[in-house]
Amino acid sequence: MDSSHEIFPQPKQFLESESVTPYADAAVVVVPIPYEATTSYRKGCQYGPGAVLEASDQLEAYDEELNTSPCHDLGIYTCAPLADSNEHPTLAGDAMVTQVCDGIVPFVEDGKFVVAIGGEHAITTGVVRAMQKVTSESFTVVQIDAHGDMRDKFEGSQHNHACVMRRVLELGLPTLPIAIRAICQEEADLIREKNIPVFWAREMADNPDWIDQAIASITTEKVFLTIDMDGFDPGFMPGVGTPEPGGLGWYEGLKFFRRLFQTKQVIGCDLMELAPVPGSVVSEFSTAKLAYKLMGYWGESQGKKP
């Protein structure tokens, strides 16, 4: 057994020590998806969901920015893991996407705000399909990422983690890639051909107005937010598969996310590709903190505050 699996056991609930909410009473459902099959550099993201859930128990329930305790205001329920490659190592491709989609659809139908935690980024295809099945109108997929993830195929698979946003585009949904700083020629050609509005990390660094410009470029009222954790600066988020230099800073990212929730209807989100670093808890604690912040921002947008 991998030692990191022993280091990061999976508790039952997000922020379990603070609030255990029955499904019927929870506004937020956390969906752990410990799937990994196609990562191509530093591996271990199948242990990401367990590490995040473990770290979440060390969070303060009170959010000083929002002046409230989102876990008490909203109620958070954590479901059983979907597409668990620890238990089913041969699970791959279309079967994984179908299992994720079918598992999430009931939560969306019940009006829950879904926060999916991966696992590799290929999972997002299934999450987005679930949102699309239930949502009656189009929505934009806002992508925080170091990489374009728009290859048609990589290492023989169209459901490789490097292809996820190509699959999203094929669903007919607009996308907004943010903090991108590594693409291949195929992706560069596609961006030009499809006129995809990319916010490049090197340009964002010198543009104090990038948040306003990014939000203004979203043409739909509804948004799904997908976050590859390598979209952040690896200086404070080293536990990722391919830690590209640069990326979002913590407070810069939070400012963007809060504005996004304030100005658009965010219908769900995912946080992907955390690969725990043995002997360090920085990345998983930061990811748990970010997930909790997003729950709080959604609650604020819904008026769910005392």
Side-chain angles (χ1 to χ4, degrees):
M1 181 180 289
D2 189 302
S3 62
S4 60
H5 195 196
E6 296 172 349
I7 293 170
F8 301 114
Q10 182 173 307
K12 293 181 180 179
Q13 295 284 306
F14 188 94
L15 244 176
E16 186 175 58
S17 64
E18 282 288 343
S19 176
V20 177
T21 307
Y23 177 78
D25 299 330
V28 175
V29 172
V30 174
V31 184
I33 311 176
Y35 172 83
E36 180 173 23
T38 72
T39 47
S40 47
Y41 190 21
R42 183 176 174 273
K43 299 184 184 299
C45 64
Q46 63 183 345
Y47 304 120
V52 170
L53 293 175
E54 180 75 10
S56 75
D57 230 18
Q58 305 304 316
L59 295 172
E60 293 286 357
Y62 178 78
D63 186 308
E64 48 79 28
E65 178 188 13
L66 297 173
N67 192 32
T68 188
S69 297
C71 64
H72 300 309
D73 301 339
L74 303 173
I76 303 168
Y77 175 85
T78 307
C79 74
L82 297 178
D84 188 343
S85 63
N86 298 294
E87 299 294 329
H88 305 285
T90 61
L91 184 67
D94 288 330
M96 176 275 293
V97 170
T98 298
Q99 188 177 129
V100 169
C101 177
D102 291 348
I104 288 178
V105 161
F107 303 141
V108 184
E109 290 178 332
D110 286 346
K112 309 297 186 181
F113 183 70
V114 171
V115 179
I117 301 177
E120 67 171 62
H121 209 173
I123 294 164
T124 295
T125 303
V127 183
V128 171
R129 280 189 188 176
M131 298 289 163
Q132 194 176 38
K133 277 192 171 186
V134 181
T135 305
S136 60
E137 61 191 85
S138 184
F139 55 90
T140 298
V141 179
V142 174
Q143 171 198 10
I144 307 297
D145 210 319
H147 309 93
D149 287 355
M150 287 181 272
R151 287 174 163 89
D152 181 52
K153 183 181 290 186
F154 191 64
E155 296 182 340
S157 172
Q158 288 193 313
H159 288 298
N160 188 283
H161 71 116
C163 307
V164 60
M165 296 310 294
R166 186 68 165 263
R167 304 288 81 82
V168 169
L169 287 166
E170 290 171 353
L171 294 174
L173 297 171
T175 66
L176 180 62
I178 293 174
I180 308 299
R181 49 202 190 275
I183 59 171
C184 69
Q185 184 67 57
E186 177 190 357
E187 292 171 306
D189 294 342
L190 183 71
I191 289 167
R192 284 192 292 270
E193 176 190 341
K194 301 292 187 182
N195 197 28
I196 297 170
V198 178
F199 279 74
W200 305 99
R202 57 181 166 76
E203 295 176 349
M204 290 163 55
D206 297 321
N207 181 6
D209 299 320
W210 77 263
I211 292 177
D212 291 337
Q213 293 168 6
I215 290 177
S217 72
I218 300 172
T219 58
T220 62
E221 176 58 29
K222 294 184 178 180
V223 164
F224 178 81
L225 176 63
T226 180
I227 302 174
D228 186 320
M229 298 312 295
D230 68 20
F232 288 95
D233 185 339
F236 78 90
M237 188 61 67
V240 296
T242 308
E244 290 282 349
L248 281 178
W250 177 253
Y251 287 109
E252 177 188 25
L254 292 186
K255 182 178 180 182
F256 170 72
F257 297 135
R258 193 176 189 187
R259 285 283 308 283
L260 183 68
F261 278 85
Q262 289 172 337
T263 56
K264 296 293 179 179
Q265 184 183 347
V266 181
I267 61 174
C269 64
D270 66 36
L271 299 90
M272 298 295 173
E273 304 234 353
L274 167 71
V277 177
S280 171
V281 295
V282 173
S283 297
E284 49 265 45
F285 184 84
S286 298
T287 303
K289 178 92 170 180
L290 177 60
Y292 193 50
K293 295 294 289 188
L294 297 179
M295 296 174 201
Y297 295 156
W298 178 78
E300 180 185 48
S301 75
Q302 301 297 302
K304 295 181 182 294
K305 182 177 178 180

